[in-house]
Amino acid sequence: MTPLLQVSNIAKFYGHRIGCTDVSFDLYPGEVMGIVGESGSGKSTLLNCLAGHLTPDTGAVRFDTRTDGLRDTVTMSEPERRMLSRTDWAFVHQHARDGLRMNVSAGGNVGERLMAVGARHYGDIRATATDWLGRVEISEDRIDDRPTAFSGGMQQRLQIARNLVTGPRLVFMDEPTGGLDVSVQARLLDLLRGLVREMNLSAIIVTHDLAVVRLLADRLMVMKDGHVVETGLTDQVLDDPQHGYTQLLVSSVLQV
Amino acid sequence: MISVENVSKSFTLHNQGAAVIPVMRGASLQVARGECVALVGASGAGKSTLMRMIYGNYLAAAGRIMIGDVDVAVAQPRDILQLRRYTLGYVSQFLRVVPRVPTVAVVAEPLLATGTPRDAALARAEVLLDRLNIPQRLWSLSPTTFSGGEQQRVNIARGFAYDYPALLLDEPTASLDGTNREVVMSMIEQAKARGAAIIGIFHDEAARARVCDREIDVTGFTPKAAA
Amino acid sequence: MTDYNFAYLDEQTKRMIRRAILKGLAIPGYQVPFASREMPMPYGWGTGGVQVSAAVLTPDDVFKVIDQGADDTTNAVSIRRFFQKTAGVAVTEATTEASVIQTRHRIPEEALREDQIIVYQVPIPEPLRFLEPSEVETRKMHSLEEYGLMHVKLYEDISQHGAIATSYAYPVKVEGRYVMDPSPIPKFDNPKLEMAGIQLFGAGREQRIYALPPYTKVVSLDFDDFPFEATKADHACDLCGADDSYLDELIVDDAGGRMFMCSDTDYCGKRRKDGHVGAQGVPYQEDAA
């Protein structure tokens, strides 16, 4: 089986400071990988390098494109990369307002990616948008409301619908449950799990919430000061952490 | 089916003066298809640790842990995930689920993960829940609010939803009443009959005597307090 | 002649603007940045159009200015006088006689010829602006032909109004490449954008010039199930009886009385001169004003 994403030797420096360095891994179809670490550990820098928002200083991010097989997205042309990011890739931001058009209705937000790839039939676009709102548990009668009228959890679900409507194969998520109420988080996690399984999505989830990765991620990568200190099966890393930093991280979680 | 060869394990506590605690040395055992083996030994002897290593939850320091043709001790995460999905089931003592997910979906999940159609998976889940005497009115609720015994039965139903060729059972009958204990016993017997290789931890001696073909005392794998 | 340089602007500036115009003509629909000058009138009064007109006018030109179709509104009159004074060019109100027409918000009803230039005053040249506030991002979208967002605007229209309610500044795609804002002309005028004349667009405050060479293909954006329609008031001109021209609605009393008349005053006047009379019109008289 070909990996969907093949990351080799990614490094990003901010002047002399290390953003992230020496990161390599393969991600296979249907696999969900969590990246954990504290603020400033380089996990968001890494995610942005992988998703094409930042250009890494070294390394390659090879993606298994539908037409040409593995292609390095770092060196591919910008139009190609942007095309990927609105078809085969999705990016879920921590703050829904960064990933949504707040002055456009929910239906327009979901329909945008369809129209971006050439959909020109209003009725079809609207039907697809309605279907997706349903899948993320947003009532059909909210389709013409703007996201400003939505709760935080609804905004986040709308962002997910907007991202998944074109049937992407790889989803990048930056703290997808950050800033949400615990009860809303649970609902979102369940939704994401279901979508990942039904659509056979691969996902890379950056978070500092170990409970989130335990429920969502198959594999875990622990970062500290821009370096990957430990990788492995999620429950193994959390239950039998090998590196001192991971042990500290796991033992620092407050129990309820 | 399951073959553990000369496995050892120690914990290094980096944040407590890098203390190294050896917990297992030279662990070896074999379980054939259709066989049920009980792990015995005093509390703290390493029964759960060994079981967790076999499941890939704990990392083995040395040795081989073969499940079919996969060596869990050195396998890549995705190989272990594949193994857990199709080959190796595990009934733990604790139920860990996403809050608010209905019980019936929790039980059906292993089936959905193997590509079973949703209707068939849910139907199978309902049969199991019914057999384990979980009242139907609870099926649509999240098991997080259930009693200990109910949670355990949900966990068992989940572990038996898919017909795994190998099964690990950690205290499956611990907090069950007579009736449900009997149900679980017969489920284990059925699993054996279809050829599953089973490793179990049972504090309940009667249960152990009834379903287990052999006992392995893990005390023999415990390193002598050297440090 | 006056103490001003011909057409107010200095020759260097006019050359700079002409280069922008030529580039615009070479890449139809592409917004060319230019160093817009301070003009002796406020932004919003057509400073972009005036600079473009200044750059294309020659002493032999005949100049016409229309504002919302009319030659006699304040804006039109003052711009016409401006060039009369600074360039000494001949002026006219007749579409057919003009060689350069500066316009705000309309295209004349009579088809333009190959020897005519029409200059549009543009307030906001960026069609994507209201949905994407970042200039960096909109430029990138143009360069990569990412125009999905433009349809989002039309989608929003239909979802809110049941039809595409955008009635002016209706976005078009030029030669299958650039999406362009045709300036705030009514969408009734959109089909006329495919014409024999040269079309130049100037945005003074936003410092952009763009252009359509003669016979450029210009397609109004739409959906398969909501096709573009060039709409106008469902009425005939009350003065000249024309049923094919764009109409202004005029409230004539405080009892709800109203009349419709051609927004293109030259067109309407010419028709009346030719003997056409509308429902509320009176026959044309030579000295009537």
Side-chain angles (χ1 to χ4, degrees), chain A residues 78-79 82-83 86 101 103-105 107-108 112 115-116 119-126 129 143-144 146, chain C residues 130-133 137 140-141 144-149 151-152 154-156 158-160 222-226:
Chain A
E78 191 177 11
R82 282 174 69 112
M83 180 55 107
R86 57 175 195 265
R101 293 195 189 276
N103 55 352
V104 168
S105 71
E112 180 176 347
M115 293 182 248
R120 290 293 178 266
H121 191 283
Y122 175 84
D124 293 350
I125 293 166
R126 195 159 170 91
I143 190 169
D144 293 327
R146 291 186 175 186
Chain C
F130 289 104
L131 291 159
E132 178 52 66
E137 190 60 23
K140 195 165 270 176
M141 290 160 98
L144 300 179
E145 258 183 284
E146 290 180 8
Y147 291 131
L149 196 54
H151 273 86
V152 172
L154 301 179
Y155 169 94
E156 292 287 283
I158 300 172
S159 71
Q160 282 164 33
D222 60 5
F223 285 103
D224 297 343
D225 46 347
F226 283 87

Side-chain angles (χ1 to χ4, degrees), chain C residues 249-260 280:
Chain C
E249 185 180 356
L250 189 70
I251 307 294
V252 292
D253 56 32
D254 58 3
R258 56 190 186 157
M259 64 185 289
F260 290 92
Q280 298 180 44

Side-chain angles (χ1 to χ4, degrees), chain A residues 11-32:
Chain A
K12 175 76 186 172
F13 296 91
Y14 299 107
H16 293 298
R17 209 159 48 78
I18 297 173
C20 61
T21 184
D22 207 15
V23 182
S24 302
F25 66 89
D26 289 349
L27 189 74
Y28 282 77
E31 238 179 4
V32 178

Side-chain angles (χ1 to χ4, degrees), chain A residues 28 193 235 240 242 247, chain B residues 9 12 57 78 84 109:
Chain A
Y28 282 77
R193 257 162 78 104
D235 58 290
D240 185 18
Q242 305 296 304
Q247 292 183 357
Chain B
K9 171 73 184 166
T12 307
N57 181 228
R78 70 183 134 271
R84 289 179 179 180
E109 198 180 330

Side-chain angles (χ1 to χ4, degrees), chain C residues 169-187:
Chain C
Y170 192 103
V172 294
K173 194 160 198 181
V174 177
E175 282 291 334
R177 179 57 182 85
Y178 284 98
V179 165
M180 186 190 94
D181 182 333
S183 87
I185 58 171
K187 67 176 170 186

